[in-house]
Amino acid sequence: MALSTLKDRVRAATQQAPALRGRLAPASVEAPHGAPATLEEAAATVEDPVQDSADAVMDWLRRYEGHVTDALPSHMAAGPFLAAVRTVLPDLRSCNPASVLQATMTAARFGLVPDGREAVITAEYGRAVFIPTYRGYIALMHRSGLVASVRVGMVYERDEYTYEPSAPSPLDFTHRQDPALTDDQRGAPLFSYAFAWFTNGSRSQVVTVNREEAEAIRDEHSRAYQEAEANGKRDSFWHTDFPAMWWKSAARQLEKVVPVSAEVRALVEADRAGEDGRVQVLHAPDPETASVDQEDAVLEAEADRAAEATEASQDQAPADLPRKRGGLKRTQPRRTTRKGRKAARAGRRG
């Protein structure tokens, strides 16, 4: 019988997992001497049997440490990044080593240190997954050169706010909170929101995500949440830190209304791949082309702003720009000049 929902498929998979791992698990764990020679081959082995060994995972990291270092953006030092990865390795000892490699490479290519602030690498049922936080999205938006600042927040019951999408920004949305009140005293959270200020001083559209919308995103897209529900552990980030995931949902929605770089769009795709249990590194930017893509995004955004400025002042713009020929400015419309020449020729023939 076909399984119609994601939850059904996850439940079936988790029920089969113990028996499958028992057949595949090796009697003794050895370092992966036959490790793939290329990153593509390593990513393809993400579904290999789990090896419960921190040494095996560390061996994979050592083998590909040069690849990880090369993948980092030029502004990042390799030392702090690799130190953050080594710190989290004990928590990944039950993960397939190849999945640890591809999650690490994904974090490196985006230049997000997996230290819990901008990103994390976590274990999800035998696989390592790279998860950007809402701060990671903000960091990449800043790097694009298009965004001056990003605001992500939450409105609570006792806060003061107005939301009028038809009003001009920044009057369309205001939010005031009493700094003397704790989060508990502010009441229940109503919705998260996000907006960006651009480098030219203008502000983006405000995106909002209420609780029902956040839960719909969780139920539809998070495989980790579905697995945690199916096995009763309830240990996914949606279970343990729902507010942070709610904030992140707003930050990710901001990508739809802000002219961001190709790197930010790629981060959305890599994030979704992790939620779906797919290989993430295939969506990470190529370090050799990332700078070119960023420059293209900046030029595209500048062209959009120039077009908007032209439309705003079109009542003052002339229908045709004057042309110069031989240093003399044409003062008459082209059609009138042609008629004059035609009349002159007719006069000469007469």
Side-chain angles (χ1 to χ4, degrees), residues 8-343:
D8 291 337
R9 293 195 299 272
V10 168
R11 182 179 290 108
T14 52
Q15 290 172 349
Q16 296 171 2
L20 179 62
R21 292 177 184 173
R23 293 196 301 270
L24 294 177
S28 61
V29 177
E30 299 179 354
H33 300 297
T38 67
L39 179 61
E40 288 72 18
E41 292 176 7
T45 64
V46 146
E47 299 301 332
D48 280 356
V50 172
Q51 302 182 64
D52 190 5
S53 169
D55 291 337
V57 173
M58 180 64 80
D59 185 84
W60 273 72
L61 182 61
R62 291 194 191 100
R63 181 182 180 92
Y64 293 101
E65 188 170 298
H67 293 275
V68 174
T69 301
D70 291 342
L72 290 170
S74 59
H75 69 276
M76 288 191 66
F81 182 90
L82 292 173
V85 174
R86 294 189 187 100
T87 299
V88 78
L89 281 181
D91 297 329
L92 306 177
R93 62 185 179 274
S94 63
C95 296
N96 170 269
S99 73
V100 177
L101 170 65
Q102 75 91 24
T104 302
M105 286 295 298
T106 304
R109 287 190 172 184
F110 284 111
L112 298 177
V113 179
D115 58 0
R117 180 171 176 80
E118 295 180 345
V120 297
I121 296 177
T122 186
E124 292 185 357
Y125 306 95
R127 65 185 184 274
V129 180
F130 159 76
I131 301 178
T133 68
Y134 74 90
R135 294 188 185 93
Y137 278 96
I138 292 174
L140 259 62
M141 290 181 188
H142 284 163
R143 286 185 215 162
S144 70
L146 311 174
V147 174
S149 65
V150 177
R151 169 64 178 169
V152 180
M154 184 78 74
V155 172
Y156 293 80
E157 280 182 320
R158 294 187 178 88
D159 293 349
E160 296 180 14
Y161 73 92
T162 60
Y163 183 46
E164 188 177 350
S166 60
S169 68
L171 302 178
D172 54 343
F173 177 75
T174 62
H175 175 211
R176 297 180 181 87
Q177 67 182 68
D178 186 345
L181 299 179
T182 65
D183 285 350
D184 290 338
Q185 292 172 334
R186 290 168 64 190
L190 301 179
F191 61 89
S192 63
Y193 64 86
F195 58 82
W197 288 97
F198 302 124
T199 52
N200 67 351
S202 62
R203 203 211 64 195
S204 76
Q205 175 183 336
V206 177
V207 296
T208 63
V209 179
N210 61 36
R211 188 179 190 90
E212 182 179 356
E213 291 168 334
E215 291 175 349
I217 292 171
R218 175 199 66 189
D219 295 344
E220 182 176 355
H221 296 291
S222 178
R223 179 178 174 182
Y225 171 79
Q226 296 290 357
E227 289 177 338
E229 283 286 295
N231 62 31
K233 290 186 176 180
R234 301 178 63 82
D235 56 356
S236 74
F237 281 118
W238 279 105
H239 288 101
T240 62
D241 201 352
F242 184 88
M245 298 300 290
W246 195 350
W247 283 39
K248 174 183 166 180
S249 297
R252 195 162 75 174
Q253 295 292 326
L254 194 60
E255 178 264 340
K256 299 178 180 179
V257 300
V258 171
V260 296
S261 65
E263 191 179 25
V264 176
R265 292 191 291 269
L267 182 63
V268 173
E269 293 305 317
D271 197 4
R272 289 172 177 164
E275 291 174 338
D276 296 339
R278 295 180 284 115
V279 178
Q280 296 173 284
V281 72
L282 302 180
H283 300 278
D286 185 341
E288 297 181 357
T289 61
S291 60
V292 176
D293 291 338
Q294 180 170 327
E295 291 175 2
D296 290 344
V298 172
L299 292 175
E300 181 181 349
E302 290 177 349
D304 290 341
R305 288 196 289 266
E308 292 174 359
T310 300
E311 292 176 0
S313 60
Q314 61 183 352
D315 57 330
Q316 300 176 1
D320 295 303
L321 293 177
R323 298 186 180 182
K324 293 183 178 180
R325 180 176 298 172
L328 298 177
K329 183 176 180 180
R330 186 184 301 276
T331 57
Q332 291 182 311
R334 182 178 298 275
R335 181 176 299 178
T336 303
T337 303
R338 287 177 177 173
K339 286 183 177 181
R341 290 200 297 268
K342 184 176 180 181

